[in-house]
Amino acid sequence: MPRLSYAAPASVPDAIKLLAGAEGLAKVLSGGTDLLVQLRSGRTRPELIVDTKKIPGIIGIRETEDGFVIGAATSGAEIGENAALVAAYPGVVEGTNLIGSTQVQGRASLAGNLCNASPAADSVPALIAAGAVAVVVGPNGQRNVPVGQIVIAPGRTSLAKGEFILEFHLPKPKAKQSDAYLRFIPRTEMDIAVVGCGVNLTLDANGVITAACIVLGAVAPTQVVVEAAAKAIIGTKLDDAALAALDAAARAACNPITDKRGTIEFRTKIAGVLARRAAKIAYDRAGAR
Amino acid sequence: MSKIHVTTTVNGEPAEFLCEPQESLLDVLRDKLQLTGSKEGCGSGDCGACSITLDGRLVCSCLVLGVEAEGKTIGTIEGLANGDELHPLQRKFLEHAALQCGFCTPGLLVATKALLDANPNPTETEARFWLAGNLCRCTGYDKIIRAVMDAAAEMRGEHA
Ligand SMILES: Cc1cc2nc3c(=O)[nH]c(=O)nc-3n(C[C@H](O)[C@H](O)[C@H](O)COP(=O)(O)OP(=O)(O)OC[C@H]3O[C@@H](n4cnc5c(N)ncnc54)[C@H](O)[C@@H]3O)c2cc1C
Ligand code: FES
Ligand code: FES
């Protein structure tokens, strides 16, 4: 095994130079709750670890005129403590706070959850549903990438050599817009999602849905944006017929695997159930705005 | 490649050590700083036996690199008692027999201390969720929760 080196650059250009200049595999370190486990098991064998946490702004949350900026390495615990973010994006925050234990929350970040590229990552469906954008920096400058375009396959991202995520931008929610995330696990804590579902809804003054995004996790190799599910409920007040159509559309979008946590049939059925439940929660939250 | 020199603060005292990049902070605490109170149950973030605070945040020290401790403030189980005087949490764990083999106990105490620092008056449900990342194979958890709730009440001054 090649010797591992570690660097903790204090600026974006220094981090890019290190990542781009590495001969072998270079890995970005945020909270380490995936990377250190994989390092120990031998699943990943980098020659360089670049700890980005000394880069100014990569930890922390800022509220701007356009919405929120969340530093890529901000911990789940810090995200859950930000009252303004919790009020604006309860679904994004509840997804993020479902990751692991209190201890894991003390370190786990959005960038790590996303770039580990697990189909079951709990923060990702609500982030995609919210229209979150990842600010990617690298040797060729900066590009803004919708979160849904980062993961391309289990364990693989669209980031090029030398690139990493600096921060996430969440748009300012509209009047009567809100979100929700639900997952199913066989226990009440500390498990990996069998199915996850993020829903983001916008209503008009009469409670009619004018915009919707429904995103499923753990039912396909990557997160799935279910456009048919959005169509099924836009223009409705989420009545029983709309919920039934939503359920059917969510099930139709599934392409899951069978593993010890659930069969294909079970995952597909639960996707419909969670889509309905999460949509109801998001609808009530949006209506209460 | 040479080892990395790290300067940090552990339980309020300055500390320094040399370590390899891949060494965990848990290994550094135990093997280099002789602070063997933190335990390794799993090495993968699942059991909480290695719980410490890093700049005040509860984390698993098995999932922190030793080199990440540079410039940080670390709190371990060794910092809980005041000399020979046990912390109320430690006393209550003994009174309630909230341990058998004791392997999980340092992690549970550090985690509970972090809970009560953040929330001195937790409900039982809040305490159970907060401690869900601390596994115990012996006690069945109930005595632990009794001890936590009792210690919290005493620390709020409700027994006086
Ligand atoms: C006990 C335990 C329980 C867990 N439970 C859950 C759970 O319930 N739900 C869930 O979704 N996950 C869970 N996880 C997995 C993990 O905690 C999350 O995926 C977490 O969000 C990873 O974030 P991190 O900051 O620790 O990532 P790291 O481990 O630092 O990084 C993960 C990956 O992302 C890359 N990366 C990190 N930062 C960046 C960046 N800025 N730019 C580009 N790439 C980057 C790394 O190179 C690495 O490949 C659990 C882990 C443990 C140990
Ligand atoms: S040894 Fe760190 S969580 Fe088990
Ligand atoms: S007392 Fe033995 S593991 Fe908890």
Side-chain angles (χ1 to χ4, degrees):
Chain A
M1 184 172 138
R3 291 300 288 254
L4 177 69
S5 10
Y6 167 90
S11 75
V12 170
D14 285 352
I16 293 169
K17 212 178 290 167
L18 283 160
L19 288 167
E23 271 174 35
L25 180 63
K27 278 288 197 182
V28 174
L29 171 67
S30 290
T33 60
D34 280 315
L35 186 60
L36 266 58
V37 174
Q38 290 163 15
L39 203 61
R40 203 145 307 146
S41 69
R43 223 179 96 193
T44 182
R45 296 173 188 277
E47 76 163 29
L48 173 67
I49 286 181
V50 177
D51 182 352
T52 53
K53 294 192 293 298
K54 296 234 155 61
I55 296 173
I58 206 160
I59 295 178
I61 300 163
R62 283 181 287 136
E63 200 173 351
T64 67
E65 265 175 32
D66 306 327
F68 291 87
V69 179
I70 307 177
T74 309
S75 71
E78 196 170 334
I79 287 170
E81 286 163 8
N82 189 295
L85 186 64
V86 174
Y89 282 103
V92 169
V93 176
E94 69 201 351
T96 305
N97 286 165
L98 279 170
I99 298 170
S101 57
T102 317
Q103 286 86 339
V104 171
Q105 281 289 311
R107 299 259 294 168
S109 69
L110 294 183
N113 198 223
L114 180 62
C115 294
N116 187 54
S118 156
D122 279 310
S123 72
V124 178
L127 277 178
I128 295 175
V133 168
V135 177
V136 175
V137 290
N140 299 321
Q142 178 178 318
R143 56 194 183 102
N144 289 2
V145 185
V147 165
Q149 291 172 23
I150 297 283
V151 180
I152 53 174
R156 285 185 52 210
T157 71
S158 57
L159 300 187
K161 186 175 163 88
E163 284 189 325
F164 66 97
I165 297 176
L166 181 63
E167 59 195 23
F168 294 92
H169 291 185
L170 282 170
K172 193 188 183 82
K174 299 192 186 72
K176 300 214 172 285
Q177 177 176 14
S178 195
D179 68 343
Y181 176 77
L182 289 176
R183 71 172 179 183
F184 176 85
I185 55 172
R187 318 165 56 197
T188 52
E189 261 284 73
M190 298 285 286
D191 208 341
I192 296 169
V194 174
V195 179
C197 182
V199 176
N200 192 302
L201 300 180
T202 308
L203 318 183
D204 68 13
N206 301 317
V208 175
I209 298 171
T210 57
C213 188
I214 290 96
V215 183
L216 292 170
V219 296
T222 64
Q223 285 74 21
V224 187
V225 179
V226 192
E227 274 166 33
K231 282 212 187 92
I233 58 172
I234 289 174
T236 77
K237 292 185 175 181
L238 209 62
D239 49 51
D240 287 348
L243 284 167
L246 168 66
D247 187 319
R251 279 185 278 122
C254 292
N255 175 25
I257 55 166
T258 290
D259 67 10
K260 64 181 177 187
R261 290 195 171 75
T263 59
I264 290 173
E265 293 75 16
F266 182 72
R267 283 197 151 99
T268 305
K269 180 171 168 111
I270 295 300
V273 173
L274 290 190
R276 270 192 280 120
R277 290 185 186 166
K280 276 196 206 162
I281 297 170
Y283 185 87
D284 289 343
R285 286 175 176 165
R289 286 254 159 100
Chain B
M1 209 195 83
S2 60
K3 295 191 173 193
I4 300 170
H5 180 248
V6 177
T7 310
T8 186
T9 303
V10 182
N11 299 328
E13 301 281 332
E16 52 184 323
F17 54 85
L18 290 171
C19 79
E20 304 273 357
Q22 70 277 11
E23 265 181 286
S24 73
L25 181 56
L26 174 62
D27 285 346
V28 166
L29 289 169
R30 291 180 53 84
D31 301 341
K32 305 226 147 97
L33 301 177
Q34 275 70 53
L35 295 171
T36 54
S38 307
K39 306 298 179 205
E40 178 165 292
C42 64
S44 55
D46 293 291
C47 77
C50 64
S51 297
I52 60 157
T53 57
L54 188 65
D55 283 350
R57 277 273 177 228
L58 184 67
V59 302
C60 294
S61 60
C62 72
L63 295 187
V64 179
L65 294 174
V67 288
E68 288 184 77
E70 175 65 40
K72 301 274 181 196
T73 303
I74 294 164
T76 72
I77 183 64
E78 285 85 356
L80 197 61
N82 182 10
D84 285 343
E85 190 192 329
L86 291 183
H87 187 277
L89 271 171
Q90 294 171 306
R91 227 177 342 93
K92 288 296 176 191
F93 265 58
L94 286 174
E95 275 175 31
H96 287 266
L99 63 154
Q100 289 177 31
C101 79
F103 196 79
C104 66
T105 313
L108 271 159
L109 288 168
V110 169
T112 307
K113 169 81 168 29
L115 166 66
L116 299 184
D117 284 348
N119 176 7
N121 195 6
T123 63
E124 182 173 326
T125 303
E126 286 168 341
R128 284 183 184 270
F129 268 102
W130 182 277
L131 297 173
N134 290 85
L135 304 187
C136 175
R137 295 185 63 178
C138 305
T139 64
Y141 300 104
D142 202 61
K143 290 178 172 186
I144 292 171
I145 294 299
R146 297 299 138 238
V148 168
M149 300 309 285
D150 193 14
E154 181 185 296
M155 288 163 68
R156 291 193 304 269
E158 289 171 17
H159 289 328

